[in-house]
Each structure stands twice: as C-alpha cells, then as structure tokens.
Amino acid sequence: MATPDALRYTRFPLRHGSGAIPAVGFGTLIPDPVATKQAVKAALEVGFRQFDCAERYRNEEAVGDAMQEAFKTGRIRREEVFVSTKLWNSNHRPERVEPAFEASRRRLRLDYVDCYLIHTPFAFQPGEEQDPRDEQGKVIYDSGVTLVDTWRALERLVDGGRCKSIGLSDVTLGKVREIVAAARIKPAVVQVESHPYLPEWELLDFCREHGIVLLAFAALGHGLSPKVLDDPVITTIARRVNKTPAQVALAWAVQRGTAFLTTATTPRYIQENFDISALPEDAMREIRDRVTTRVRFNPVVESGVPGFIPRA
Ligand SMILES: NC(=O)c1ccc[n+]([C@@H]2O[C@H](COP(=O)([O-])OP(=O)(O)OC[C@H]3O[C@@H](n4cnc5c(N)ncnc54)[C@H](OP(=O)(O)O)[C@@H]3O)[C@@H](O)[C@H]2O)c1
C-alpha cells in the first residue's frame, strides 16, 4: 500500500481574492438534483474542499442544500470550502452579469462565491433561454458584446466583495492572452479540459508564468473512449505504485501543477478520487513522455455548446 501523504491537501495560491484553491476538486455536472445532493454530501464527507458549479447545470440549489447541511453539523466551516460557479453564455451582456451572479449565489445559499468564471467565451442571444436556436436549429450568438466587456462586469463583482476571484473557462491560449492583456483584475483561474490525453502544456506554462491556476476538468477523460484509465502506461504505473489508474491520473494532475475536477456518483469512486498519493518522479516522466494519444473529448471550446445539457 502506498503511504498516504499530503498531496491531496495541496492548495495553490491565487493572484487575488480567496487566498488559495484546493487542488483536489469535485465537479457538480450531474443531471439529477437528488444524485447531485448525495454526491456533494459524500464528497464533503471524504474530504473534498473545492467544488465547481454552474448556472447551466441547473442544480445549484441541490449543491447549496448539501453544503448547508454539512455546515450545520459544525464539522465543516464555510471558509474551508472553495466554491466556484459560472456565468452562462446567454448572460454575457454586462447588465446581465450581476443579476446572474446574484441568482447563482442565492441558489447556492452562500454569502460569497470564491470564484466566478465565464463558462465559455461565446456570447449567446441574451435572455432566459439558455440554448437559443434559429429555425434551422443553429445556435444564435450575440455579436453585440465582447469577452472584454463581460470581463469588465466580472471585475466589478470583485469590487463588490461577494465574488472573491474571477476566471475563464473553455478558452484557448489566445483568449487567455487577450484577457490578461486587457484586465484590471487578471484571471485567477482558467478551467479547461485536461488529462493525460490533453495535457495542455503550453497553456499550463503561460498560466504559471502569469500566476494563474489551471483547473483541469474531465481529469479522468469524461469516462469516454479512448479511455485514459485503460491506457497501458497509466495501468502499469498503477500496478507498480499500488493505486488505481484514476488515482494515478489525478496525482499526475496535481504534481504537474494543476488543480483538477472529477465527478463521481459512485461512492467508492468519490472516496478513491480524494485518496491520492504522490507519484515517483519516474512515473511522472513516463506519463509525460510515453502517453502519446491526444484527444479532446469536449467540443465546447469550439462552439460554446456543452455536450451535456441537463433539462429542467
Ligand atoms: N467548463 C466546462 O465547460 C466543463 C465541461 C465539462 C465538465 N466540467 C466540470 O468538470 C467536472 C468533471 O468533469 P467530468 O464529469 O467529465 O469528469 P471525469 O471525472 O473525467 O469523468 C466522470 C466519469 O468518470 C467516472 N469516474 C469517476 N471517478 C472514477 C474512478 N475513480 N474510476 C473510474 N471511473 C470514475 C464517473 O462515473 P460515475 O458517475 O458512474 O461514478 C463518470 O462517468 C464536471 O462535473 C464539471 O464541474 C466543466
């Protein structure tokens, strides 16, 4: 058995705001609110202290309920938990940003949000419809607002105090550069798909240079094929260090300097994903040099349209 170590408690300092983000994070992209609440409660119980939410996931209330129940027990304090949520594409117009943020904050039942991210750089037709389409079924984008306009509105949220830090999601390096160049308050976090099949080294180098935390979503490859967890380099290391392939992929994520998000509804996986331990340096090198498959599972970065859309 590998000896437990401090890797799971790693925290990365943020440029501004909430001090530091726990590297080990739990995502709440779970379609069913009952399952969401159960999973969040279980994740808090095993030790997760970083949670990723979004208005788009339509389950912020369930996350808020689970957290309130945990806070009421007195075993976990609000200040110990880092909660992010995200502005959806149909709310990019500056006048829609604060109402959208406040609605998320209320649904989450929190006095403040640790990080607010622009979910994607794509502005959709403003309004209540999250998925606006024309007669041909094509997404209706909004050309009347730029990403910088939306960013300025997020900066004002930080000034207001209920939003501790801000960031971007589903962005290319080019977009991150654009915002870093224009920003008064620089992004604290950039959330993108990243796992051994999509390491995003160039983006990670840029983030490091600018003191931005890269938060890797789908850290296990979304559970899709080709399966990261079946990769022979990963499975061989797992056998060698007496850990599961998931624990190897997650340890790799933290050791190379990214925070990560996984989602599990299976209780055993929730526990497993928190119980990570540091990998030997040779294993880190093997993953970097010998895993050669390259796959982006989530096309959202090209269109702003997520693959999975929970229905109300
Ligand atoms: N910014 C964005 O646009 C964006 C897009 C996608 C996701 N995200 C965020 O990232 C989070 C994570 O994404 P994801 O759900 O794709 O993550 P993921 O952890 O890569 O994949 C989740 C899948 O892996 C399975 N799994 C979890 N732990 C496992 C383990 N130890 N062994 C084997 N299988 C395991 C889960 O199974 P079970 O559910 O059956 O337990 C589930 O099917 C989301 O919840 C969301 O917060 C953000």
Side-chain angles (χ1 to χ4, degrees), residues 11 17 25 30 33 40 42 64 104 128 162 166 175-176 181 183 210 251 257 259 278 293 303:
R11 294 165 71 88
I30 301 171
V40 170
S104 278
E128 293 315 300
R162 287 188 187 278
I166 50 181
K175 284 280 173 214
V176 183
H210 291 266
T293 305
S303 64

Side-chain angles (χ1 to χ4, degrees), residues 216-228:
F217 78 70
L220 301 177
H222 272 316
L224 296 175
S225 289
K227 292 198 168 192
V228 171

Side-chain angles (χ1 to χ4, degrees), residues 219-256:
L220 301 177
H222 272 316
L224 296 175
S225 289
K227 292 198 168 192
V228 171
L229 303 187
D230 290 344
D231 186 281
V233 175
I234 307 273
T235 54
T236 306
I237 293 170
R239 275 194 298 276
R240 205 163 74 218
V241 300
N242 228 334
K243 285 285 190 179
T244 67
Q247 289 169 325
V248 170
L250 300 178
W252 171 81
V254 178
Q255 270 173 265
R256 77 189 187 111

Side-chain angles (χ1 to χ4, degrees), residues 80 192 280:
E80 293 167 39
V192 291

Side-chain angles (χ1 to χ4, degrees), residues 27 29 52 57 169-170 191 217-218 220 222 263 265-266 272-273:
L29 180 47
D52 175 66
Y57 302 164
S169 156
D170 293 324
Q191 182 184 135
F217 78 70
L220 301 177
H222 272 316
T263 309
T265 48
T266 312
E272 182 178 318
N273 295 349

Side-chain angles (χ1 to χ4, degrees), residues 23 25 189-195 198 213-220 250 252-253 256 258-262:
V189 172
V190 165
Q191 182 184 135
V192 291
E193 177 182 339
S194 188
H195 39 72
L198 189 65
V213 172
L214 193 153
L215 176 55
F217 78 70
L220 301 177
L250 300 178
W252 171 81
R256 77 189 187 111
T258 70
F260 72 72
L261 293 170
T262 61

